[in-house]
Amino acid sequence: DFRLIWLAGLFSSAGSEVSRLALMLHLVRLDHGAAAIALWIGLRSLPGILAAPWIGPVVDRYDRKRLLILADLVRAVALAIVAFQPTLPVILAAVLFESIATAIFDPSRRSVVPQVVPANQLEQANSLDQTTSTVILIAGPAIGAKLFLLLGIQPALLVDAASYLISALFLTGAEIVTPPGVIQRQRNAPAIWGSDLAASWSAVKFNPRVRCLIVVQFISLLCTGLWAPLAPAFIRDFLHAPESQLGWQFSAFGAGGAAGAVIASRLPESWPRGRLILSALFLESLHMVVYSLTPNVPLSLLCL
């Protein structure tokens, strides 16, 4: 059962990375400018962020297997529609549905792993999951860019749509038993989860450390978000590199994230965590300054 759930995540994540780079390059070719790319990136994340306070109650109170399959089917249909009508309004509308479905799929999938894996094998299962995600983050963007440049936008998006259908197919074969507590919560679930939303908000309201971390994370992600829509123009006008370089840049970013995750797991043992966060943010800003002033392609990848 874990193997089926793992394969479902592998296919859906790989397809997402392929279509992400293909769509970004497609928007560049449509010549809508950085504003359209920025809007598309924002819509990929914003619906999921807004829905986040309700995602937990949804996952807790409904059949997780059905939620996973439904999320895959919604994403497959959205990508298939865009593949045959890849205009900016259709792309933006589809990404709204895809974002919400992904926000439901990811926590649902994580929550079912402990149900199908024995406690003494859970660490190995999570490690395999994390390793797979890292490989996809590195390989997916490069594959997506190459697929778009060789075959165009439609095949790249149909590959992603097919990956969601394959994921749903694997999930139908997995034996995921709904825990009794979830069944009871389904029976008692109110129409609107106001109490759950209030509980989420109280954690922010009464804990200054949580507020501080949210602000820090927001600023860090904002800076990364500023980079992403500018990257295609930066590669073309400053690096004077081909479009395929965008895929390699995102892959380099993923590879760095993988290396950083390995290092970060050991550093808190010897560094105070506040100082560690401060140092990481300083290094992040330093690398971005060097990246913005470096016209050399290999050094640019190294900075990322």
Side-chain angles (χ1 to χ4, degrees):
D1 292 321
F2 170 72
R3 184 166 59 248
L4 291 171
I5 294 167
W6 173 73
L7 285 169
L10 171 65
F11 275 89
S12 65
S13 299
S16 295
E17 289 299 316
V18 168
S19 68
R20 179 169 68 125
L21 260 292
L23 274 171
M24 185 175 285
L25 289 171
H26 177 67
L27 289 172
V28 172
R29 286 197 176 177
L30 289 178
D31 202 24
H32 288 297
I37 298 174
L39 180 59
W40 171 71
I41 291 172
L43 290 177
R44 279 180 64 92
S45 305
L46 186 60
I49 293 171
L50 295 177
W54 288 276
I55 296 299
V58 168
V59 173
D60 281 344
R61 289 183 174 133
Y62 292 95
D63 187 294
R64 292 167 188 178
K65 182 173 179 177
R66 291 181 181 178
L67 283 175
L68 287 165
I69 294 172
L70 179 62
D72 271 334
L73 294 178
V74 168
R75 294 187 292 181
V77 170
L79 265 295
I81 291 172
V82 177
F84 291 100
Q85 191 68 30
T87 59
L88 182 60
V90 175
I91 291 171
L92 296 180
V95 80
L96 286 171
F97 290 97
E98 186 184 6
S99 173
I100 296 172
T102 300
I104 294 173
F105 181 90
D106 289 342
S108 298
R109 184 177 169 277
R110 285 193 297 268
S111 70
V112 300
V113 171
Q115 294 176 224
V116 299
V117 175
N120 63 344
Q121 296 178 2
L122 189 57
E123 186 177 341
Q124 294 94 318
N126 287 332
S127 176
L128 176 61
D129 239 359
Q130 183 62 42
T131 302
T132 305
S133 299
T134 300
V135 171
I136 290 169
L137 281 174
I138 297 170
I143 294 172
K146 186 62 70 175
L147 190 63
F148 171 78
L149 295 173
L150 288 176
L151 301 176
I153 186 63
Q154 190 177 74
L157 296 183
L158 289 177
V159 164
D160 190 10
S163 75
Y164 290 135
L165 292 177
I166 293 171
S167 171
L169 187 62
F170 280 126
L171 289 167
T172 58
E175 188 67 32
I176 302 172
V177 179
T178 304
V182 173
I183 295 173
Q184 187 62 38
R185 286 195 292 271
Q186 288 173 12
R187 292 171 181 162
N188 301 331
I192 299 176
W193 304 288
S195 59
D196 296 289
L197 186 60
S200 299
W201 173 247
S202 66
V204 178
K205 183 178 179 181
F206 297 110
N207 193 327
R209 291 183 178 180
V210 172
R211 290 200 300 273
C212 180
L213 287 173
I214 288 173
V215 171
V216 169
Q217 183 76 346
F218 171 78
I219 294 172
S220 180
L221 291 175
L222 174 65
C223 295
T224 304
L226 288 171
W227 165 67
L230 295 174
F234 178 81
I235 290 168
R236 181 191 64 220
D237 300 334
F238 186 72
L239 292 181
H240 303 291
E243 291 177 313
S244 59
Q245 185 63 209
L246 183 65
W248 292 114
Q249 296 242 331
F250 274 87
S251 292
F253 197 77
V262 173
I263 297 169
S265 65
R266 293 171 171 80
L267 285 178
E269 298 172 3
S270 54
W271 278 54
R273 299 197 178 195
R275 190 180 300 172
L276 184 59
I277 292 174
L278 182 63
S279 301
L281 289 172
F282 173 75
L283 288 172
E284 189 175 16
S285 65
L286 179 63
H287 279 82
M288 208 65 207
V289 170
V290 175
Y291 169 82
S292 67
L293 299 173
T294 302
N296 180 272
V297 171
L299 187 56
S300 181
L301 290 173
L302 185 61
C303 285
L304 284 178

